[in-house]
Amino acid sequence: MKFEDFKIVATASQVPERVVDNHELSTMMDTSDEWIVKRTGIKRRHIAVTETTSSLCTSVAQQLLAQSELQPDDIDLIVVATMSPDYLTPSTSATVQGNIGATKAMAFDIDAACSGFVYGLKLIRQMLMADHKKNAILIGGETLSKLLDWSDRSTAVLFGDGAGGVLVTNETTADGSYLADSMTTLGSLGGYLTAGKTGQPSPFSSDHQPFKPFFKMNGRRVYQFAVKNVPDSINHALSVVKLAPTDVDHYVLHQANVRIVERIADELELPMTKFPVNIGEFGNTAAASEPILLDQLVKHNIIKRGDTIALSGFGGGLTVGTMLLTY
């Protein structure tokens, strides 16, 4: 099989019904719509009340099957990228596999935080090449609201819940192709963004610090990391296939902060018209952000077959990843 035999067949997304806007948050903490929008570009976010990470991801998988006209038994692999699963075990992907009846599919989760969807694409491409599998589902799904300290305005205003995904195939008859990628992990910087600490303190330990699983982030350090490393990642991927930044039709970036996206566009000397954003509506949905945005762009016929797209994620780990595709 050639590297090019890796194509996106369908896209889908699902977000919770409950919408929380900045004005509602201002009744819960010392903040305002003006303060949040000026610093982040976020106006509202969808928050899971009855939904779970697995239920959102299951809806995405069902939509992908319906769009592609495939049966559950046609799926060979299901991967969910998430940092906010329902349980540590069973995996979210195993729950999705059971929910849709994809009895022939191998299923597992990965966690690369906000780079998880792009890391998952690389992993699936390599597995399709190595194992000659035909159809795979990749979903980025998060319910980050359960990891938030809702009294901490530095983090609580940033995040939202949702899921998005793609169905990919290595069938040569499908449209689209893989072009190149660039993946980097800077584990020495991981302490700048942490969330979801697991396990209660041991009764055999003299350390009785309070259990704090909530988001903790050094916003300045993460901002500096992103505006330097994301352009480097994109340029490295472009250099592999000897493309210029102007050759890319759409940059589908992780929606962490509109100011970060603007800085990345400036670093690449490109107009913001090449960098669609939806953070105003959804906030930062971590591994779900790129596939939710991708699905919107496909559904609105902004991304068309034959377009060159760059998917780039960045965040916890710290991690950054870029994949270039012909859609």
Side-chain angles (χ1 to χ4, degrees), residues 113-259:
C114 306
S115 302
F117 183 75
V118 178
Y119 274 47
L121 279 175
K122 181 178 177 70
L123 177 65
I124 284 178
R125 183 183 73 85
Q126 292 175 324
M127 292 187 71
L128 290 175
M129 290 172 58
D131 294 342
H132 307 289
K133 298 180 185 297
K134 292 182 179 180
N135 301 307
I137 286 175
L138 170 65
I139 302 169
E142 306 282 11
T143 48
L144 299 171
S145 59
K146 65 189 178 186
L147 298 176
L148 292 172
D149 177 353
W150 285 97
S151 66
D152 177 14
R153 74 170 185 175
S154 68
T155 55
V157 304
L158 300 176
F159 298 97
D161 302 333
V166 293
L167 193 150
V168 299
T169 186
N170 57 17
E171 292 283 4
T172 57
T173 56
D175 294 322
S177 64
Y178 162 85
L179 296 174
D181 64 62
S182 176
M183 310 285 162
T184 304
T185 300
L186 301 173
S188 62
L189 305 180
Y192 291 143
L193 198 167
T194 61
K197 182 179 180 181
T198 61
Q200 295 288 347
S202 169
F204 306 103
S205 172
S206 60
D207 183 1
H208 298 297
Q209 294 183 359
F211 179 60
K212 294 182 178 179
F214 304 119
F215 266 98
K216 183 179 180 181
M217 181 172 64
N218 185 321
R220 182 172 63 87
R221 291 289 191 176
V222 173
Y223 179 91
Q224 292 171 342
F225 154 79
V227 298
K228 177 188 184 301
N229 287 278
V230 177
D232 288 348
S233 177
I234 291 170
N235 281 322
H236 181 263
L238 289 168
S239 70
V240 172
V241 282
K242 297 180 172 56
L243 293 177
T246 52
D247 293 322
V248 175
D249 297 301
H250 311 281
Y251 287 86
V252 183
L253 268 56
H254 167 50
Q255 302 291 289
N257 184 313
V258 72
R259 310 305 169 214

